[in-house]
Amino acid sequence: MEPVTPSPIIWPNGGELTNEWVHGLMSSFEWSSWNLPPSQLPSLLPVNVFDSLVLTASKILHKERNCVHINDLDSESNVVVVGDIHGQLHDLLFLLKDTGFPCQNRVYVFNGDYVDRGAWGLETFLVLLSWKVLMPDRVYLLRGNHESKYCTSMYGFEREVLTKYGDKGKHVYRKCLGCFEGLPLASIIAGRVYTAHGGLFRSPVLPKKRTKGKKNRRVVLLEPEPSSLKLGTLDELMQARRSVLDPPWEGSNLIPGDVLWSDPSMTHGLSPNEQRGIGLLWGPDCTEDFLKKYELKLIIRSHEGPDAREKRTGLGGMDKGYTIDHTVESGKLITIFSAPDYPQFQATEERYKNKGAYIILQAPDFSDPQFHSFEAVKPRPKAHPYYDFENVIDSDDEMDKSAMDTNDEQPNR
């Protein structure tokens, strides 16, 4: 018996999404990944429906603070923390079914990197936006470093969108970039757990001096020496300007780049993340200081898959989809990665074959993490990569800063 072709998705009258609508969207995307060429996605999800979904979600996201506090929890609540997904739609759908869909007693915090590398970044992002619109106080979408103009132009998402939406592709891509800018940077769960894509951040550089003379007066920012780097505060995080296409690596607005790009280290102190060319490395002493200062028990971050961890000394591999990187007096630092058998397109013959994982936090204090590892959904539908995965610069290596857009120009929304 031939599978029934889904009807084109229609935006509901009044714009109120339902569980049925969101589940229909997920089913349609899964069907299309097997049965439609990418360029026919608009026959299933017309541009006007895309526009309505992204506009509605963007309005919600842009109203959230840089660090969202998730406190509407009770003795029956679970919080699920999810790491990088990277366009692996089928693994996301499995995760949601395996864990249970968002509901009043099941809160989800997604730690960013929804797009790039995998073949279904657009569908993955739109599924998550639909859940955000349906349950805005039960689904939280944080920003990853790949939710940026630079990364999406390098690692496939821009080309994916242009392929799928043709002459409307640039419009769809610009709308996604505008939505990325609205994604919060971090969360604090039940006053006990801090989550962010990369992790910790520095205290920002303040204006130090002015040039002499009244004419052409301008502020000069003095770059700090590595030895003078100080751990940032939550107040400073709240004041950072997150609405940038690409978080800057220089100047006074460094917190977004730190939160999205930084990595833990086994060496004490803060230092520039020279391997990535942006963000920081922070040691166990910084983890302890941050946890103790804010009476937290856990830091949960993502950002490093099996390919990244292969290059790191002193830190565990990502075979199980998670690692405990720092164990200190006040608590733990955890890395969670939710894209199994990553990356989808790999240049080497021998694949990493890593598992993905997610974390469940339960009442009463939500600080005792339960780890759940899972295998990749197989087989995957056949798909072509949207980037030159054999030759592209590794996103774990120093970025091409000349390709980054760190000015104040905003995309057309």
Side-chain angles (χ1 to χ4, degrees):
M1 187 175 178
E2 291 293 322
V4 178
T5 303
S7 300
I9 297 163
I10 299 172
W11 189 249
N13 288 331
E16 292 290 329
L17 297 192
T18 62
N19 250 299
E20 182 182 9
W21 193 94
V22 175
H23 280 271
L25 183 73
M26 292 191 296
S27 297
S28 294
F29 283 163
E30 185 171 21
W31 179 90
S32 68
S33 71
W34 288 99
N35 295 286
L36 289 183
S39 61
Q40 289 189 26
L41 183 62
S43 68
L44 194 64
L45 184 76
V47 172
N48 68 306
V49 179
F50 164 87
D51 285 343
S52 296
L53 176 57
V54 171
L55 176 61
T56 306
S58 292
K59 287 180 177 178
I60 296 169
L61 293 167
H62 279 275
K63 289 178 182 177
E64 293 182 331
R65 301 192 71 186
N66 286 349
C67 181
V68 292
H69 286 253
I70 304 169
N71 294 318
D72 184 16
L73 304 167
D74 58 31
S75 61
E76 303 296 319
S77 298
N78 290 339
V79 180
V80 184
V81 183
V82 181
D84 300 38
I85 302 169
H86 281 297
Q88 296 184 193
L89 173 70
H90 307 83
D91 299 314
L92 169 65
L93 298 180
F94 169 82
L95 186 155
L96 290 168
K97 294 172 187 174
D98 188 52
T99 316
F101 296 104
C103 62
Q104 187 59 32
N105 292 329
R106 188 178 298 111
V107 177
Y108 274 83
V109 178
F110 291 90
N111 243 3
D113 275 15
Y114 313 114
V115 303
D116 280 342
R117 297 192 182 273
W120 302 281
L122 181 59
E123 291 92 332
T124 295
F125 187 52
L126 295 179
V127 164
L128 294 175
L129 289 185
S130 70
W131 278 111
K132 180 64 179 176
V133 171
L134 179 65
M135 307 192 77
D137 62 348
R138 287 294 174 263
V139 175
Y140 293 90
L141 306 180
L142 307 184
R143 189 172 181 176
N145 64 302
H146 277 264
E147 279 73 59
S148 66
K149 188 174 187 292
Y150 168 77
C151 281
T152 54
S153 67
M154 292 278 287
Y155 300 102
F157 181 69
E158 179 182 17
R159 186 175 168 193
E160 174 192 344
V161 172
L162 296 179
T163 299
K164 290 176 178 177
Y165 275 88
D167 60 352
K168 296 290 186 181
K170 289 184 178 180
H171 164 84
V172 170
Y173 179 59
R174 285 196 301 268
K175 294 293 183 182
C176 288
L177 291 179
C179 195
F180 292 164
E181 287 190 309
L183 295 168
L185 301 175
S187 78
I188 292 183
I189 301 165
R192 308 297 275 173
V193 181
Y194 167 86
T195 87
H197 182 71
L200 298 186
F201 51 93
R202 77 191 84 186
S203 189
V205 181
L206 297 175
K208 296 292 185 180
K209 65 179 182 179
R210 292 179 179 271
T211 54
K212 292 183 179 181
K214 295 182 180 180
K215 290 185 178 181
N216 301 319
R217 180 173 288 178
R218 61 189 177 90
V219 173
V220 177
L221 297 172
L222 298 182
E223 294 296 328
E225 294 296 321
S227 60
S228 69
L229 289 171
K230 285 174 48 181
L231 199 59
T233 68
L234 290 178
D235 285 343
E236 290 168 338
L237 173 59
M238 286 297 197
Q239 294 166 17
R241 184 168 61 87
R242 76 178 192 253
S243 291
V244 289
L245 289 173
D246 289 310
W249 72 92
E250 60 185 1
S252 61
N253 190 36
L254 295 177
I255 286 178
D258 286 350
V259 173
L260 301 186
W261 283 91
S262 293
D263 295 303
S265 169
M266 296 309 294
T267 302
H268 279 14
L270 287 175
S271 61
N273 196 334
E274 294 180 356
Q275 183 175 356
R276 293 192 187 270
I278 185 172
L280 302 171
L281 296 174
W282 82 90
D285 56 329
C286 299
T287 294
E288 169 62 21
D289 291 347
F290 192 81
L291 291 173
K292 186 175 182 180
K293 180 173 184 176
Y294 295 108
E295 300 181 349
L296 301 167
K297 291 294 184 183
L298 297 175
I299 297 171
I300 302 177
R301 45 90 63 176
S302 302
H303 193 37
E304 291 183 285
D307 51 346
R309 278 301 168 94
E310 191 177 51
K311 306 169 189 173
R312 305 291 306 283
T313 56
L315 295 171
M318 204 51 63
D319 297 347
K320 296 180 180 178
Y322 69 90
T323 56
I324 299 174
D325 300 318
H326 296 162
T327 300
V328 295
E329 183 178 351
S330 296
K332 296 176 180 178
L333 166 71
I334 296 166
T335 297
I336 189 77
F337 193 80
S338 302
D341 192 26
Y342 171 88
Q344 181 179 350
F345 305 102
Q346 192 167 326
T348 57
E349 285 188 20
E350 186 175 345
R351 299 186 65 81
Y352 292 108
K353 297 181 180 178
N354 64 293
K355 293 181 179 179
Y358 57 88
I359 292 172
I360 295 181
L361 306 171
Q362 293 182 315
D365 65 359
F366 300 94
S367 60
D368 182 17
Q370 298 179 18
F371 299 98
H372 295 260
S373 297
F374 62 98
E375 299 275 3
V377 174
K378 292 293 181 72
R380 289 171 173 151
K382 291 183 180 180
H384 296 290
Y386 293 105
Y387 68 111
D388 183 3
F389 66 95
E390 294 182 323
N391 297 308
V392 71
I393 182 175
D394 196 319
S395 59
D396 306 309
D397 294 333
E398 186 167 359
M399 61 172 60
D400 176 9
K401 292 175 179 175
S402 65
M404 294 183 72
D405 185 349
T406 56
N407 61 32
D408 292 331
E409 184 179 350
Q410 307 299 312
N412 296 322
R413 289 196 170 87

